[in-house]
Amino acid sequence: AQSVTQLGSHVSVSEGALVLLRCNYSSSVPPYLFWYVQYPNQGLQLLLKYTTGATLVKGINGFEAEFKKSETSFHLTKPSAHMSDAAEYFCAVSEGSGGYNKLIFGAGTRLAVHP
Amino acid sequence: DAGVIQSPRHEVTEMGQEVTLRCKPISGHNSLFWYRQTMMRGLELLIYFNNNVPIDDSGMPEDRFSAKMPNASFSTLKIQPSEPRDSAVYFCASQAQGSSYNEQFFGPGTRLTVL
């Protein structure tokens, strides 16, 4: 079965600093990987996803993630943090096939951005 | 499209009462997921449906919880009787058919408080 590990439940950065949120996955098949963001009192929304092809994936709000098969990682980065990036971030891997599939989520990383 | 719609957004009830949460998925999506989110346990998948049929309900905590999807545009999650430990945010998500890399779209959630 697939699984996801997010290293660091809380990350704090200064405004303008690099954001790096770590995600490692375990999968017996080529994985489909996702990053979701949850702003306070809201549902999750998709930031970006990796399916096949280019290993560097660009998402919304300046975020990107790189799929590294050799490291079983899918870390999320943003060159310069903004105050509005403060939220909880979830990494997920798809499990199943065809129409019968579900997402396996990591425990989440809460990002704080300070002035 | 209006996105995934959940009602009510907030529910406060007393222990022992029946609670019904409602979800309208995005039109054309054939998979529907119910999640529960708490500080202690994070994001948990409770049950998911494909073409209105429950596929995996292994996450349903106990018999007090039940879910139905009578048609493609409506699902309910019922708790009877409710207990204080059921207090959480409940999310519904929907997904289009056919591929493991199709993203899930989340609703805004229902915040349930059981006194």
Side-chain angles (χ1 to χ4, degrees):
Chain A
Q2 280 85 328
S3 65
V4 173
T5 302
Q6 291 185 241
L7 301 176
S9 58
H10 290 80
V11 170
S12 181
V13 300
S14 299
E15 191 173 20
L18 171 71
V19 175
L20 171 59
L21 304 182
R22 300 178 188 273
C23 172
N24 288 90
Y25 68 90
S26 171
S27 176
S28 58
V29 297
Y32 299 130
L33 297 160
F34 304 77
W35 274 100
Y36 281 81
V37 60
Q38 184 181 28
Y39 298 105
N41 301 313
Q42 294 186 26
L44 282 69
Q45 66 181 84
L46 184 71
L47 268 180
L48 50 80
K49 65 180 179 181
Y50 169 77
T51 56
T52 57
T55 56
L56 183 61
V57 182
K58 296 186 184 299
I60 61 172
N61 301 337
F63 283 93
E64 61 184 34
E66 186 170 11
F67 169 63
K68 292 187 176 181
K69 183 177 179 180
S70 61
E71 299 178 6
T72 60
S73 69
F74 191 55
H75 301 331
L76 182 71
T77 60
K78 182 174 180 177
S80 177
H82 192 273
M83 297 294 288
S84 61
D85 294 326
E88 188 153 20
Y89 293 80
F90 294 90
C91 182
V93 63
S94 181
E95 178 176 273
S97 61
Y100 297 89
N101 58 84
K102 62 184 181 182
L103 291 179
I104 308 300
F105 283 92
T109 297
R110 187 169 298 277
L111 175 67
V113 182
H114 51 86
Chain B
D1 198 313
V4 176
I5 299 173
Q6 292 188 247
S7 65
R9 291 295 309 276
H10 302 272
E11 177 80 28
V12 180
T13 190
E14 294 188 345
M15 183 174 62
Q17 297 298 305
E18 178 179 296
V19 175
T20 299
L21 311 182
R22 297 173 176 79
C23 175
K24 177 178 169 56
I26 292 172
S27 177
H29 285 188
N30 78 318
S31 294
L32 184 140
F33 304 79
W34 281 101
Y35 292 88
R36 178 173 68 177
Q37 187 178 39
T38 62
M39 290 292 291
M40 292 297 296
R41 302 174 68 91
L43 192 64
E44 303 173 275
L45 176 64
L46 301 178
I47 185 171
Y48 77 98
F49 295 84
N50 189 269
N51 291 327
N52 313 335
V53 176
I55 301 300
D56 183 354
D57 65 354
S58 59
M60 296 286 263
E62 48 196 278
D63 292 346
R64 297 185 297 107
F65 285 69
S66 62
K68 294 183 180 180
M69 192 165 185
N71 57 61
S73 59
F74 184 65
S75 178
T76 58
L77 178 67
K78 184 177 295 185
I79 308 172
Q80 165 65 14
S82 59
E83 297 184 2
R85 60 191 168 121
D86 302 330
S87 297
V89 181
Y90 291 81
F91 290 102
C92 175
S94 71
Q95 180 181 21
Q97 180 180 16
S99 176
S100 300
Y101 55 78
N102 288 341
E103 68 187 87
Q104 290 183 19
F105 292 80
F106 281 74
T110 295
R111 183 173 297 275
L112 173 65
T113 302
V114 182
L115 303 174

